[in-house]
Amino acid sequence: MTELPWLYAALSAYALATIASLVGVGRLGTPATSPADFAVSEDQRNNERLVLALMTASVILLVVTLTDRWLRIGHGPFVNLFELLISQLFSLGLVYAVAYWRIPVLRPTSVVVLPLMGVLAVWVLVLEPSDSVFPPTYHNPWLWAHVGFGKFFLAFSLIGTGLAGVILLRSRAYFKNLFRHLPDNVILDKLAWRFMLLALVFDSLMLIAGGVWAQDAWGRYWAWDALETSSFLNWLLLGASIHARTTYNVPIRVGALLIIGIFVFAFVTYFGTPFYSEAAHKGVI
Amino acid sequence: MRQPAVKSVLRRLASTKLTLLWMVLLGVGATLSYGNPVETSIWVLIVPMLLLAINLVAAIISNPRINRRGGLLVFHIGLLGIVVLAAIGRLTHMEARVEIISGNEFSHDHLIEVRAGPLHNGAINEVRFVQGPYTVEYRARMSRGRTYSQVAIPDGEGGWYESVVGDDRPLVIEGYRFYTTFNKGFAPIMSWIGEEGNVIETGAVHMPSYPLFDFKQSNSWTPKGGDEIKFWLQLETGLNAEEAWVLDGREATGTLVVNVAGKRTELLPGESVKMAGGSLRYEQLTTWMGYKLYYDPTLQWMFLISVITVAGLGGHFWRKLSAEPLGLDDALRGEKKLVKGSVPAPRSASV
Ligand code: HEM
């Protein structure tokens, strides 16, 4: 398992990024006494640079991990949970790092997003890093499209979840102070739902690419197998939540809970369903 | 007087509150269909989809929030199109299985487990191809890899062309898609020879799936008016569960054990055994391939409409983004105007 040292290095970098972001945002915890306290200090900016550098390092180390494993076992990280988690840590990390860099308002969400990714990191550590066998039905370019779109879907939902987390944390006095330099919840809510709309675009693309692949792989594009049903329900929940928001005056905090619900549903669909259901993606068997 | 009445009915049918209700119903239907249990009626999906379709058509006609926004309109009409196509697909589809012996031509008479929609009218009797040999890659611990099945297809000008198909590369003829499956095996070709040495009948003994039923390669046949003949095939295929190997019928050999009325004879290809009324000759060992058949004339349309649908949603997102960019940067990061309580009011409460 020559890739393991790289993996440990990558996860250490993630852990450091998480600590740095918690410390950085936590430092804002002192009560504001002047208007300047609502601004982002040079200290804070340096902290953000550190977090971004550590995330970037981690993503690069994950690329090395994945490449090393790929060369060793001869196929990409598409089959067992160990590979899937590393691959997601890479893609979520990459998309989030780019968003963190380009959209500064998202930076404080790292105190929600990085610990969430920590769940994946801890999970990967307790799994047996066994080699997987590439199923015959996985030699298909649509697998790439399917997986790729899915990665963006999950990443955008994660960003939405980060914002939703900040909205909910803010309702407590202590945290309110921490996020004081962020705009009002109305704006965060709007931004979060923008990301959820983008997530819906990629979720839909993932379902289409999945259907084309399933047609080639199993001779039918849709059969309500466990994974298909779960992803459809996830898509429907996302669409229904977007609708609920345009139909009713959904309170911002309820909206935030909906976003978290969608993310949790996606999380279970990705990392739960394929592994507890024998029938899911039968090509593996 | 009638105009307003129609309008009010339309508006009620178009209610987005109903949309939510029907979406919940569809969610329940999909949950019941989880894993595709046989006892779940297809109506748990059809009814909510129909209700959603009515709701959507009414909304498209009457609600400017949807019919004045191009991308969103394309997206919703696309969703409607997908539902309609799925329905047409179910009504016209066909699924079946077929097992073809190498060297034989496909015949629709041999289809088994046929399931077809009531409006299926494909030209299955026009489908012609001849099964050739095949290879299947196995990795250690009997994990099946790729299948390469050779088939010959008429080129329409009196000749044939060859193609190689597999589990994920179907043979497509007349819209019918033939996928290879794990279900494949061996078939000794036998001839029944009369007392005068004339071949009365030649046929194949279809042995069970291999290597799934490696341990019971047996079958039986009862000639008209004769005793039951039991066959047992002892195969040499190079199978080694611990190592990678390739299943190739052309490389395999098999000794056929023939048992009639308690008398056991071992035959190699070319050998025969005498029995009452004639003799039985083991001509050669060949293979058979099991295919899964799928026919759905809506496949390409479904793909096209799905892509257009998402493009509509993408366009809708893009328009929103250009109207109000994501980068709220100016409104942020310590600018004075953002000091508590002075947040600019959002332009709209929706996303
Ligand atoms: C089938 C019945 C449906 C009807 C009658 C319907 C109706 C509408 C209407 C009227 C709007 C405009 C809302 C507004 O801004 O005021 C809308 C927006 C939208 N709908 Fe639907 N819809 C239906 C199904 C769906 C489904 C199944 C999905 C996806 C799962 C979906 C996704 C969306 C999205 C993403 C928007 C855009 C929201 C926004 O940008 O503000 N719709 N729909």
Side-chain angles (χ1 to χ4, degrees):
Chain A
M1 311 286 164
T2 48
E3 71 272 17
L4 285 184
W6 297 106
L7 176 65
Y8 297 146
L11 297 186
S12 308
Y14 258 138
L16 290 176
T18 311
I19 294 168
S21 86
L22 290 171
V23 169
V25 175
R27 230 188 271 152
L28 291 168
T30 47
T33 50
S34 71
D37 287 342
F38 289 97
V40 176
S41 64
E42 194 48 36
D43 254 13
Q44 184 65 11
R45 283 198 197 283
N46 283 336
N47 175 269
E48 289 175 354
R49 281 185 200 114
L50 176 65
V51 172
L52 183 59
L54 285 166
M55 279 198 290
T56 310
S58 180
V59 169
I60 293 170
L61 286 164
L62 284 170
V63 171
V64 178
T65 310
L66 289 167
T67 312
D68 187 277
R69 184 177 168 87
W70 197 319
L71 292 175
R72 192 171 62 73
I73 67 176
H75 61 80
F78 302 112
V79 187
N80 66 22
L81 188 54
F82 177 73
E83 298 167 345
L84 256 61
L85 286 172
I86 300 178
S87 172
Q88 284 296 350
L89 276 166
F90 152 71
S91 53
L92 292 177
L94 178 64
V95 176
Y96 185 67
V98 171
Y100 187 95
W101 171 42
R102 302 301 306 167
I103 310 173
V105 67
L106 292 178
R107 290 178 191 166
T109 64
S110 59
V111 295
V112 177
V113 169
L114 291 180
L116 272 179
M117 286 175 58
V119 175
L120 298 186
V122 171
W123 196 355
V124 98
L125 284 175
V126 300
L127 286 176
E128 188 64 38
S130 52
D131 293 357
S132 58
V133 174
F134 207 60
T137 48
Y138 279 39
H139 299 271
N140 190 306
W142 286 97
L143 162 71
W144 286 82
H146 177 63
V147 170
F149 291 140
K151 283 178 177 305
F152 281 104
F153 159 57
L154 201 62
F156 294 137
S157 309
L158 179 67
I159 296 174
T161 303
L163 287 161
V166 168
I167 289 172
L168 292 178
L169 284 175
R170 262 183 158 183
S171 56
R172 313 204 128 247
Y174 173 72
F175 291 105
K176 191 173 185 158
N177 212 13
L178 294 192
F179 299 116
R180 63 175 178 253
H181 56 296
L182 278 179
D184 195 79
N185 275 351
V186 175
I187 294 186
L188 292 193
D189 168 77
K190 192 166 159 176
L191 189 58
W193 284 100
R194 277 285 172 87
F195 275 103
M196 297 317 279
L197 188 57
L198 198 54
L200 181 66
V201 174
F202 281 91
D203 194 7
S204 310
L205 286 170
M206 176 180 81
L207 293 184
I208 296 173
V212 179
W213 177 31
Q215 183 64 52
D216 280 349
W218 304 298
R220 85 291 184 292
Y221 65 88
W222 195 269
W224 298 105
D225 80 16
L227 201 49
E228 285 159 357
T229 310
S230 196
S231 353
F232 174 75
L233 288 172
N234 203 181
W235 178 85
L236 193 63
L237 177 63
L238 181 49
S241 306
I242 290 174
H243 262 256
R245 226 174 133 263
T246 62
T247 306
Y248 296 101
N249 194 6
V250 175
I252 288 178
R253 272 190 244 158
V254 175
L257 285 172
L258 270 177
I259 292 178
I260 292 171
I262 293 161
F263 180 74
V264 169
F265 202 129
F267 194 92
V268 172
T269 304
Y270 269 68
F271 306 117
T273 315
F275 301 97
Y276 70 68
S277 158
E278 278 279 302
H281 280 14
K282 291 188 204 74
V284 180
I285 299 165
Chain B
M1 265 339 277
R2 277 197 56 193
Q3 252 339 53
V6 172
K7 267 196 181 155
S8 113
V9 170
L10 255 185
R11 215 172 305 126
R12 255 183 236 176
L13 284 176
S15 154
T16 46
K17 288 179 184 162
L18 280 182
T19 312
L20 278 175
L21 186 62
W22 304 150
M23 279 179 167
V24 171
L25 214 60
L26 180 58
V28 172
T31 310
L32 290 174
S33 307
Y34 192 93
N36 219 354
V38 196
E39 66 272 16
T40 302
S41 160
I42 184 85
W43 291 99
V44 299
L45 294 168
I46 294 181
V47 170
M49 283 191 192
L50 262 179
L51 292 170
L52 276 170
I54 295 169
N55 179 224
L56 186 52
V57 171
I60 289 172
I61 299 172
S62 66
N63 189 344
R65 298 192 66 153
I66 189 166
N67 64 25
R68 293 263 171 84
R69 290 146 97 187
L72 204 57
L73 186 60
V74 168
F75 172 67
H76 284 90
I77 294 179
L79 288 179
L80 206 58
I82 289 172
V83 172
V84 171
L85 276 182
I88 297 175
R90 288 326 287 170
L91 291 171
T92 53
H93 91 296
M94 187 182 106
E95 280 170 71
R97 289 201 308 115
V98 65
E99 293 171 359
I100 314 172
I101 290 172
S102 303
N104 284 11
E105 189 164 341
F106 163 78
S107 160
H108 65 276
D109 294 334
H110 296 154
L111 291 180
I112 46 176
E113 295 172 20
V114 181
R115 277 176 294 157
L119 302 183
H120 170 73
N121 70 343
I124 185 74
N125 43 4
E126 310 257 309
V127 174
R128 281 191 69 201
F129 71 94
V130 173
Q131 177 63 45
Y134 60 82
T135 56
V136 184
E137 293 169 349
Y138 279 86
R139 281 160 297 206
R141 291 183 294 283
M142 300 291 288
S143 142
R144 192 167 63 94
R146 306 189 84 169
T147 297
Y148 300 88
S149 176
Q150 295 176 25
V151 289
I153 306 141
D155 62 8
E157 290 162 11
W160 297 78
Y161 69 94
E162 292 216 337
S163 181
V164 177
V165 299
D167 283 13
D168 55 350
R169 285 155 303 147
L171 166 68
V172 186
I173 307 179
E174 298 286 340
Y176 290 88
R177 308 167 78 87
F178 292 77
Y179 300 85
T180 59
T181 62
F182 71 92
N183 186 33
K184 75 252 170 252
F186 288 89
I189 306 280
M190 311 298 298
S191 291
W192 178 241
I193 296 163
E195 302 284 10
E196 294 83 35
N198 54 318
V199 175
I200 297 170
E201 187 185 350
T202 295
V205 183
H206 203 105
M207 290 299 177
S209 193
Y210 183 89
L212 186 64
F213 296 113
D214 176 29
F215 55 93
K216 55 167 190 185
Q217 289 293 305
S218 54
N219 205 338
S220 66
W221 176 57
T222 310
K224 269 194 194 114
D227 291 329
E228 182 191 32
I229 308 171
K230 289 182 184 152
F231 299 98
W232 176 41
L233 185 62
Q234 295 173 322
L235 283 165
E236 282 297 329
T237 60
L239 182 154
N240 177 347
E242 293 313 309
E243 282 171 26
W245 64 291
V246 175
L247 170 62
D248 184 346
R250 291 162 298 188
E251 303 286 317
T253 56
T255 304
L256 190 65
V257 180
V258 182
N259 201 322
V260 193
K263 185 171 169 279
R264 182 182 190 278
T265 317
E266 287 192 7
L267 298 180
L268 286 171
E271 295 179 346
S272 47
V273 55
K274 275 204 161 312
M275 41 188 82
S279 60
L280 191 67
R281 189 163 67 211
Y282 172 21
E283 303 284 6
Q284 66 171 105
L285 181 64
T286 188
T287 49
W288 57 269
M289 172 53 77
Y291 288 93
K292 175 183 168 162
L293 226 86
Y294 187 89
Y295 174 87
D296 183 341
T298 64
L299 281 185
Q300 276 86 355
W301 292 107
M302 189 61 122
F303 178 69
L304 189 70
I305 295 216
S306 310
V307 171
I308 294 174
T309 305
V310 192
L313 187 61
H316 173 65
F317 178 79
W318 194 252
R319 250 201 48 191
K320 277 192 159 218
L321 198 65
S322 33
E324 270 181 80
L326 261 191
L328 300 158
D329 310 10
D330 304 342
L332 275 177
R333 316 302 295 167
E335 299 227 332
K336 271 211 187 103
K337 62 183 177 196
L338 257 191
V339 171
K340 216 176 181 179
S342 64
V343 172
R347 265 182 256 173
S348 112
S350 65
V351 195

